[in-house]
Protein backbone atom coordinates (compact mmCIF):
# COMPACT_ATOMS: atom_id res chain seq x y z
CA UNK A 1 0.00 0.00 0.00
CA UNK A 2 1.39 3.43 -0.90
CA UNK A 3 0.65 6.28 1.45
CA UNK A 4 -0.59 9.60 0.16
CA UNK A 5 2.30 11.22 2.00
CA UNK A 6 4.72 9.08 -0.09
CA UNK A 7 3.39 10.56 -3.30
CA UNK A 8 3.69 14.03 -1.83
CA UNK A 9 7.06 13.49 -0.24
CA UNK A 10 5.97 12.84 3.36
CA UNK A 11 6.28 9.82 5.60
CA UNK A 12 4.51 6.63 4.58
CA UNK A 13 1.29 6.13 6.41
CA UNK A 14 1.62 9.51 8.07
CA UNK A 15 -1.54 10.64 9.79
CA UNK A 16 -2.79 14.21 9.77
CA UNK A 17 -0.60 16.16 12.10
CA UNK A 18 1.78 13.21 12.47
CA UNK A 19 5.45 13.98 12.61
CA UNK A 20 8.28 12.24 10.85
CA UNK A 21 9.03 8.85 12.34
CA UNK A 22 5.47 7.72 13.01
CA UNK A 23 4.17 4.81 10.99
CA UNK A 24 0.80 3.36 10.22
CA UNK A 25 1.62 0.38 12.40
CA UNK A 26 2.19 2.48 15.52
CA UNK A 27 -0.96 4.07 16.94
CA UNK A 28 -0.28 7.58 18.12
CA UNK A 29 -1.91 6.94 21.48
CA UNK A 30 0.12 3.77 22.00
CA UNK A 31 3.36 5.55 21.13
CA UNK A 32 2.55 8.34 23.53
CA UNK A 33 1.33 5.97 26.22
CA UNK A 34 -1.95 7.79 26.65
CA UNK A 35 -5.54 7.64 25.51
CA UNK A 36 -7.89 10.34 24.35
CA UNK A 37 -10.79 11.34 26.52
CA UNK A 38 -14.18 12.30 25.21
CA UNK A 39 -13.08 15.91 24.87
CA UNK A 40 -10.21 14.92 22.61
CA UNK A 41 -7.70 16.79 24.75
CA UNK A 42 -5.23 14.86 26.88
CA UNK A 43 -3.22 16.33 29.72
CA UNK A 44 -0.23 18.10 28.21
CA UNK A 45 0.79 20.32 31.10
CA UNK A 46 -1.06 23.47 32.04
CA UNK A 47 0.45 26.35 30.06
CA UNK A 48 -0.58 29.90 30.75
CA UNK A 49 -3.44 30.99 28.58
CA UNK A 50 -1.43 33.87 27.12
CA UNK A 51 1.33 31.56 25.89
CA UNK A 52 -0.34 28.41 24.59
CA UNK A 53 2.16 28.53 21.74
CA UNK A 54 5.38 30.11 23.00
CA UNK A 55 8.30 30.93 20.70
CA UNK A 56 11.37 32.65 22.14
CA UNK A 57 14.50 33.60 20.14
CA UNK A 58 13.96 30.72 17.73
CA UNK A 59 16.84 30.05 15.33
CA UNK A 60 17.25 27.43 12.61
CA UNK A 61 20.36 27.20 10.45
CA UNK A 62 21.15 24.82 7.59
CA UNK A 63 24.55 23.86 6.21
CA UNK A 64 24.52 24.24 2.43
CA UNK A 65 27.21 22.53 0.38
CA UNK A 66 28.12 23.79 -3.08
CA UNK A 67 30.47 22.19 -5.57
CA UNK A 68 33.16 24.63 -6.73
CA UNK A 69 35.31 22.22 -8.70
CA UNK A 70 35.80 18.60 -9.60
CA UNK A 71 36.87 17.67 -6.07
CA UNK A 72 36.16 20.84 -4.13
CA UNK A 73 33.08 21.86 -2.19
CA UNK A 74 32.31 24.88 -0.05
CA UNK A 75 30.03 24.83 2.96
CA UNK A 76 28.09 27.83 4.23
CA UNK A 77 25.48 28.32 6.89
CA UNK A 78 22.06 29.71 6.01
CA UNK A 79 19.76 31.08 8.72
CA UNK A 80 16.25 30.16 7.64
CA UNK A 81 14.83 31.45 10.95
CA UNK A 82 16.74 34.19 12.71
CA UNK A 83 15.77 34.76 16.35
CA UNK A 84 11.99 35.22 16.14
CA UNK A 85 9.77 35.45 19.24
CA UNK A 86 5.98 35.48 19.61
CA UNK A 87 3.26 34.00 21.82
CA UNK A 88 -0.20 32.78 20.83
CA UNK A 89 -3.01 32.59 23.43
CA UNK A 90 -5.20 29.50 23.44
CA UNK A 91 -8.16 29.86 21.09
CA UNK A 92 -6.65 32.63 18.95
CA UNK A 93 -6.48 32.51 15.15
CA UNK A 94 -3.40 34.26 13.76
CA UNK A 95 -2.09 34.75 10.26
CA UNK A 96 1.55 33.76 9.86
CA UNK A 97 2.63 35.42 6.65
CA UNK A 98 5.57 36.51 4.55
CA UNK A 99 6.96 36.16 1.02
CA UNK A 100 8.23 32.86 -0.36
CA UNK A 101 11.46 31.81 1.33
CA UNK A 102 10.79 33.96 4.40
CA UNK A 103 11.02 31.02 6.83
CA UNK A 104 7.31 30.34 7.41
CA UNK A 105 7.33 26.63 6.60
CA UNK A 106 10.57 26.09 8.54
CA UNK A 107 8.98 27.67 11.61
CA UNK A 108 5.82 25.57 11.29
CA UNK A 109 7.92 22.41 10.91
CA UNK A 110 9.69 23.26 14.17
CA UNK A 111 6.33 23.91 15.84
CA UNK A 112 5.16 20.44 14.78
CA UNK A 113 8.40 18.69 15.75
CA UNK A 114 9.45 17.80 12.20
CA UNK A 115 12.58 19.97 12.51
CA UNK A 116 14.73 20.59 15.57
CA UNK A 117 15.63 24.22 16.36
CA UNK A 118 19.27 25.20 16.31
CA UNK A 119 18.68 27.38 19.36
CA UNK A 120 15.91 29.15 21.23
CA UNK A 121 12.92 28.05 23.28
CA UNK A 122 9.78 26.51 21.81
CA UNK A 123 6.66 25.19 23.55
CA UNK A 124 3.28 24.12 22.18
CA UNK A 125 0.68 23.38 24.87
CA UNK A 126 3.53 23.11 27.36
CA UNK A 127 5.38 20.49 25.29
CA UNK A 128 8.76 20.73 23.57
CA UNK A 129 7.87 19.59 20.01
CA UNK A 130 11.35 18.35 19.13
CA UNK A 131 11.72 16.19 22.24
CA UNK A 132 8.14 14.95 22.67
CA UNK A 133 6.80 14.59 19.14
CA UNK A 134 4.68 11.51 19.76
CA UNK A 135 3.14 13.17 22.81
CA UNK A 136 2.42 16.39 20.95
CA UNK A 137 1.02 14.80 17.79
CA UNK A 138 -2.28 13.93 19.45
CA UNK A 139 -2.90 17.59 20.18
CA UNK A 140 -2.13 19.15 16.82
CA UNK A 141 -3.59 18.95 13.32
CA UNK A 142 -1.59 19.91 10.24
CA UNK A 143 -2.59 20.68 6.67
CA UNK A 144 0.32 21.40 4.32
CA UNK A 145 -1.08 22.85 1.09
CA UNK A 146 0.72 20.79 -1.53
CA UNK A 147 1.46 17.72 0.63
CA UNK A 148 -1.39 15.41 1.44
CA UNK A 149 -1.58 13.36 4.62
CA UNK A 150 -4.10 11.01 3.04
CA UNK A 151 -3.31 7.60 1.59
CA UNK A 152 -2.87 8.11 -2.15
CA UNK A 153 -4.40 4.83 -3.39
CA UNK A 154 -7.24 4.58 -0.87
CA UNK A 155 -10.70 6.16 -0.92
CA UNK A 156 -11.23 9.00 1.55
CA UNK A 157 -13.41 6.78 3.72
CA UNK A 158 -10.61 4.23 4.21
CA UNK A 159 -8.05 6.96 4.94
CA UNK A 160 -10.31 8.36 7.64
CA UNK A 161 -10.81 4.90 9.13
CA UNK A 162 -7.03 4.47 9.36
CA UNK A 163 -6.75 7.84 11.06
CA UNK A 164 -9.40 6.73 13.58
CA UNK A 165 -7.43 3.62 14.44
CA UNK A 166 -4.09 5.41 14.66
CA UNK A 167 -5.45 8.04 17.03
CA UNK A 168 -7.77 5.60 18.83
CA UNK A 169 -10.68 7.99 18.44
CA UNK A 170 -13.84 6.78 20.24
CA UNK A 171 -16.37 5.55 17.66
CA UNK A 172 -19.14 7.99 18.61
CA UNK A 173 -16.87 11.02 18.48
CA UNK A 174 -15.31 9.85 15.21
CA UNK A 175 -18.73 9.53 13.57
CA UNK A 176 -19.84 12.93 14.86
CA UNK A 177 -16.69 14.70 13.69
CA UNK A 178 -16.72 12.97 10.31
CA UNK A 179 -20.40 13.69 9.65
CA UNK A 180 -19.95 17.34 10.57
CA UNK A 181 -16.92 17.81 8.32
CA UNK A 182 -18.45 15.88 5.43
CA UNK A 183 -21.58 18.02 5.54
CA UNK A 184 -19.90 21.40 5.92
CA UNK A 185 -17.09 20.71 3.44
CA UNK A 186 -19.34 18.91 0.93
CA UNK A 187 -17.50 15.59 0.82
CA UNK A 188 -20.45 13.18 0.77
CA UNK A 189 -20.01 12.29 -2.90
CA UNK A 190 -16.24 11.86 -2.57
CA UNK A 191 -15.87 9.40 0.31
CA UNK A 192 -15.46 6.40 -2.00
CA UNK A 193 -13.14 8.14 -4.48
CA UNK A 194 -9.39 7.29 -4.31
CA UNK A 195 -7.33 10.27 -3.20
CA UNK A 196 -5.27 10.25 -6.39
CA UNK A 197 -8.42 10.97 -8.41
CA UNK A 198 -9.42 14.04 -6.41
CA UNK A 199 -8.81 17.56 -7.65
CA UNK A 200 -6.54 19.81 -5.61
CA UNK A 201 -9.50 21.61 -4.07
CA UNK A 202 -11.27 18.35 -3.17
CA UNK A 203 -8.10 16.95 -1.64
CA UNK A 204 -7.59 20.10 0.43
CA UNK A 205 -11.07 19.67 1.91
CA UNK A 206 -10.27 16.01 2.54
CA UNK A 207 -7.02 16.92 4.30
CA UNK A 208 -8.76 19.48 6.51
CA UNK A 209 -11.27 16.82 7.58
CA UNK A 210 -8.53 14.29 8.33
CA UNK A 211 -6.65 16.85 10.44
CA UNK A 212 -9.74 17.49 12.61
CA UNK A 213 -11.02 13.98 13.30
CA UNK A 214 -9.10 13.68 16.59
CA UNK A 215 -10.14 17.15 17.88
CA UNK A 216 -6.72 18.84 17.89
CA UNK A 217 -6.13 21.76 20.22
CA UNK A 218 -3.81 23.47 17.73
CA UNK A 219 -4.39 23.51 13.98
CA UNK A 220 -1.66 24.50 11.52
CA UNK A 221 -2.97 25.43 8.08
CA UNK A 222 -0.73 26.05 5.08
CA UNK A 223 -2.74 27.51 2.15
CA UNK A 224 -6.04 25.85 3.20
CA UNK A 225 -8.06 27.44 0.36
CA UNK A 226 -5.64 26.77 -2.48
CA UNK A 227 -7.39 25.33 -5.53
CA UNK A 228 -10.89 26.14 -4.23
CA UNK A 229 -13.52 28.11 -6.10
CA UNK A 230 -15.08 31.21 -4.56
CA UNK A 231 -18.04 29.35 -3.03
CA UNK A 232 -15.86 26.59 -1.56
CA UNK A 233 -13.44 29.15 -0.13
CA UNK A 234 -16.29 30.91 1.65
CA UNK A 235 -17.53 27.60 3.05
CA UNK A 236 -14.08 26.62 4.34
CA UNK A 237 -13.60 30.03 5.96
CA UNK A 238 -16.99 29.78 7.67
CA UNK A 239 -16.13 26.26 8.83
CA UNK A 240 -12.84 27.44 10.35
CA UNK A 241 -14.52 30.39 12.11
CA UNK A 242 -17.11 28.05 13.66
CA UNK A 243 -14.40 25.58 14.68
CA UNK A 244 -12.46 28.31 16.47
CA UNK A 245 -15.56 29.71 18.18
CA UNK A 246 -17.14 26.42 19.23
CA UNK A 247 -14.09 24.39 20.24
CA UNK A 248 -11.59 27.11 21.20
CA UNK A 249 -9.13 25.65 18.69
CA UNK A 250 -5.91 27.63 18.28
CA UNK A 251 -5.29 28.19 14.58
CA UNK A 252 -2.06 29.28 12.91
CA UNK A 253 -2.78 30.14 9.28
CA UNK A 254 -0.14 30.50 6.56
CA UNK A 255 -1.47 31.82 3.26
CA UNK A 256 -0.88 34.20 0.36
CA UNK A 257 -4.61 34.91 0.11
CA UNK A 258 -5.19 38.19 1.92
CA UNK A 259 -8.93 37.51 2.07
CA UNK A 260 -8.25 34.41 4.20
CA UNK A 261 -6.33 36.59 6.64
CA UNK A 262 -8.91 39.38 6.68
CA UNK A 263 -11.86 37.07 7.31
CA UNK A 264 -10.25 34.71 9.80
CA UNK A 265 -7.54 36.59 11.70
CA UNK A 266 -7.50 39.59 14.00
CA UNK A 267 -3.73 39.37 14.32
CA UNK A 268 -0.89 38.74 11.91
CA UNK A 269 2.73 37.77 12.45
CA UNK A 270 5.02 38.66 9.55
CA UNK A 271 8.49 37.30 8.93
CA UNK A 272 10.92 38.00 6.12
CA UNK A 273 14.44 36.67 5.67
CA UNK A 274 13.83 34.64 8.81
CA UNK A 275 13.21 37.71 10.98
CA UNK A 276 10.08 38.97 12.68
CA UNK A 277 9.14 42.26 11.04
CA UNK A 278 5.59 42.77 12.36
CA UNK A 279 3.28 41.37 15.03
CA UNK A 280 -0.09 43.04 15.47
CA UNK A 281 -3.44 43.86 13.90
CA UNK A 282 -3.98 43.54 10.15
CA UNK A 283 -5.01 47.20 9.87
CA UNK A 284 -1.73 48.17 11.46
CA UNK A 285 0.14 46.06 8.93
CA UNK A 286 -1.38 48.03 6.07
CA UNK A 287 -0.51 51.29 7.75
CA UNK A 288 3.08 50.33 8.49
CA UNK A 289 3.56 48.78 5.06
CA UNK A 290 1.77 51.66 3.31
CA UNK A 291 -0.03 49.14 1.09
CA UNK A 292 -2.62 50.15 -1.48
CA UNK A 293 -5.78 48.66 -2.92
CA UNK A 294 -6.68 49.15 -6.58
CA UNK A 295 -10.04 50.36 -7.84
CA UNK A 296 -10.63 49.42 -11.49
CA UNK A 297 -13.37 51.55 -13.08
CA UNK A 298 -15.03 51.31 -16.49
CA UNK A 299 -16.51 54.57 -17.81
CA UNK A 300 -19.09 55.09 -20.56
CA UNK A 301 -16.54 56.81 -22.74
CA UNK A 302 -12.86 57.58 -22.81
CA UNK A 303 -11.87 60.58 -20.70
CA UNK A 304 -8.64 61.89 -19.27
CA UNK A 305 -7.32 60.60 -15.94
CA UNK A 306 -10.05 61.11 -13.34
CA UNK A 307 -9.43 63.38 -10.40
CA UNK A 308 -10.92 62.21 -7.13
CA UNK A 309 -9.91 62.94 -3.56
CA UNK A 310 -8.23 60.05 -1.75
CA UNK A 311 -6.95 58.19 -4.84
CA UNK A 312 -4.49 58.53 -7.68
CA UNK A 313 -4.66 57.20 -11.22
CA UNK A 314 -1.89 54.71 -11.95
CA UNK A 315 -3.02 53.43 -15.36
CA UNK A 316 -5.42 54.35 -18.18
CA UNK A 317 -6.54 52.17 -21.09
CA UNK A 318 -9.36 53.74 -23.08
CA UNK A 319 -12.46 54.00 -20.88
CA UNK A 320 -10.88 51.81 -18.17
CA UNK A 321 -8.79 53.35 -15.40
CA UNK A 322 -6.90 51.98 -12.41
CA UNK A 323 -6.88 54.03 -9.19
CA UNK A 324 -4.72 53.32 -6.15
CA UNK A 325 -5.88 54.21 -2.64
CA UNK A 326 -4.68 53.30 0.89
CA UNK A 327 -5.59 49.73 1.89
CA UNK A 328 -6.54 50.95 5.35
CA UNK A 329 -9.20 53.27 3.88
CA UNK A 330 -12.77 52.56 2.78
CA UNK A 331 -13.71 52.24 -0.89
CA UNK A 332 -17.29 53.42 -0.30
CA UNK A 333 -16.73 57.20 -0.23
CA UNK A 334 -14.34 56.94 -3.15
CA UNK A 335 -16.88 55.09 -5.29
CA UNK A 336 -19.59 57.61 -4.34
CA UNK A 337 -17.45 60.54 -5.44
CA UNK A 338 -16.57 58.82 -8.71
CA UNK A 339 -20.20 57.98 -9.50
CA UNK A 340 -21.26 61.57 -8.84
CA UNK A 341 -18.66 63.14 -11.12
CA UNK A 342 -18.05 60.60 -13.89
CA UNK A 343 -20.17 58.31 -16.17
CA UNK A 344 -19.43 55.12 -14.24
CA UNK A 345 -20.47 51.79 -15.81
CA UNK A 346 -18.69 49.12 -13.77
CA UNK A 347 -15.99 48.73 -11.15
CA UNK A 348 -14.00 46.16 -9.19
CA UNK A 349 -11.59 46.27 -6.27
CA UNK A 350 -8.30 44.41 -6.19
CA UNK A 351 -6.72 43.71 -2.83
CA UNK A 352 -2.97 44.17 -2.32
CA UNK A 353 -1.10 40.88 -2.42
CA UNK A 354 0.89 39.79 0.59
CA UNK A 355 4.21 40.01 -1.25
CA UNK A 356 3.77 43.70 -2.04
CA UNK A 357 2.71 44.48 1.53
CA UNK A 358 5.71 42.64 2.95
CA UNK A 359 8.08 44.19 0.42
CA UNK A 360 7.00 47.68 1.43
CA UNK A 361 7.12 46.78 5.12
CA UNK A 362 10.54 45.15 4.97
CA UNK A 363 11.96 47.78 2.66
CA UNK A 364 10.87 50.46 5.12
Amino acid sequence: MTAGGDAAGSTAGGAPGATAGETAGEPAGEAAGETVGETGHGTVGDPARDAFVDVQELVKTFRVRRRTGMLRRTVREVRAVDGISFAVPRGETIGFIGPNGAGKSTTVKMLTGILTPTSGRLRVAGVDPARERTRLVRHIGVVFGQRTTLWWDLPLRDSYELVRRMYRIPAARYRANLERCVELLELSGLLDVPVRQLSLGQRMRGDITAALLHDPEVLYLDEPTIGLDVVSKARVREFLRDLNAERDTTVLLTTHDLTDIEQLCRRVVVIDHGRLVYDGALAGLHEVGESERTLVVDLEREVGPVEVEGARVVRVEGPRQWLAFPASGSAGPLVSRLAAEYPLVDLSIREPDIESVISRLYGG
Side-chain angles (χ1 to χ4, degrees):
M1 176 180 71
T2 303
D6 283 343
S10 56
T11 306
T19 55
E22 288 189 294
T23 62
E26 180 184 15
E30 205 168 9
E34 60 182 41
T35 58
V36 182
E38 285 303 316
T39 62
H41 301 156
T43 54
V44 188
D46 186 20
R49 185 175 178 82
D50 61 350
F52 194 66
V53 177
D54 188 21
V55 178
Q56 299 296 328
E57 297 297 325
L58 191 64
V59 173
K60 180 61 180 178
T61 61
F62 294 97
R63 293 173 63 86
V64 179
R65 293 176 173 80
R66 171 178 289 183
R67 179 177 293 180
T68 58
M70 290 292 293
L71 300 175
R72 297 181 61 186
R73 287 180 173 81
T74 58
V75 179
R76 66 186 181 95
E77 280 195 351
V78 175
R79 280 204 172 196
V81 177
D82 192 3
I84 66 173
S85 300
F86 63 91
V88 183
R90 181 167 186 164
E92 185 174 53
T93 297
I94 74 166
F96 190 60
I97 60 179
N100 292 329
K104 303 186 301 297
S105 295
T106 300
T107 302
V108 171
K109 287 177 181 177
M110 287 188 283
L111 288 169
T112 57
I114 296 175
L115 292 178
T116 301
T118 302
S119 64
R121 182 179 184 277
L122 179 61
R123 294 291 185 274
V124 177
V127 173
D128 184 334
R131 297 185 177 184
E132 301 177 274
R133 291 184 298 174
T134 52
R135 184 183 178 197
L136 178 70
V137 72
R138 299 189 60 81
H139 305 272
I140 63 174
V142 183
V143 178
F144 286 116
Q146 300 290 346
R147 297 196 174 195
T148 186
T149 49
L150 301 168
W151 280 260
W152 203 244
D153 295 314
L154 296 182
L156 277 178
R157 191 188 306 276
D158 291 353
S159 286
Y160 295 154
E161 181 62 25
L162 284 170
V163 171
R164 182 186 73 81
R165 292 177 179 274
M166 292 175 67
Y167 283 94
R168 293 187 171 183
I169 306 171
R173 182 153 56 85
Y174 167 75
R175 286 194 300 270
N177 287 346
L178 180 59
E179 288 173 3
R180 181 172 184 268
C181 290
V182 166
E183 178 184 357
L184 295 177
L185 296 176
E186 297 183 332
L187 292 173
S188 58
L190 303 174
L191 291 177
D192 296 313
V193 178
V195 172
R196 66 170 59 254
Q197 295 180 15
L198 299 176
S199 68
L200 177 58
Q202 291 169 339
R203 182 162 55 77
M204 285 301 300
R205 285 181 280 150
D207 274 314
I208 292 173
T209 298
L212 294 173
L213 291 175
H214 62 294
D215 287 332
E217 293 172 278
V218 183
L219 182 62
Y220 301 103
L221 298 173
D222 181 13
E223 301 287 357
T225 61
I226 189 171
L228 300 182
D229 58 42
V230 175
V231 175
S232 296
K233 281 186 178 184
R235 186 174 289 270
V236 168
R237 291 168 185 149
E238 181 181 2
F239 174 81
L240 293 174
R241 279 194 298 268
D242 291 344
L243 175 74
N244 175 254
E246 295 173 8
R247 306 197 178 187
D248 205 28
T249 304
T250 305
V251 180
L252 192 140
L253 170 65
T254 299
T255 181
H256 287 85
D257 190 331
L258 188 59
T259 306
D260 286 348
I261 299 294
E262 289 178 329
Q263 296 192 10
L264 294 173
C265 308
R266 295 180 180 178
R267 171 187 170 197
V268 291
V269 173
V270 183
I271 66 171
D272 196 8
H273 292 81
R275 299 176 182 175
L276 185 72
V277 294
Y278 181 82
D279 183 355
L282 181 61
L285 170 63
H286 285 306
E287 293 173 3
V288 173
E290 299 180 346
S291 60
E292 294 180 318
R293 300 162 80 188
T294 301
L295 178 65
V296 183
V297 298
D298 290 319
L299 306 175
E300 287 183 356
R301 59 184 181 279
E302 184 175 344
V303 300
V306 301
E307 295 182 5
V308 59
E309 182 183 354
R312 58 187 176 84
V313 176
V314 295
R315 182 179 169 190
V316 177
E317 286 187 5
R320 173 169 291 186
Q321 300 193 22
W322 285 256
L323 290 80
F325 64 101
S328 57
S330 172
L334 178 60
V335 172
S336 297
R337 289 192 289 269
L338 272 171
E341 299 179 23
Y342 295 94
L344 188 62
V345 175
D346 198 7
L347 62 86
S348 63
I349 298 176
R350 297 179 182 176
E351 301 293 340
D353 60 87
I354 290 296
E355 277 80 2
S356 66
V357 175
I358 303 307
S359 296
R360 287 173 176 266
L361 178 64
Y362 194 72

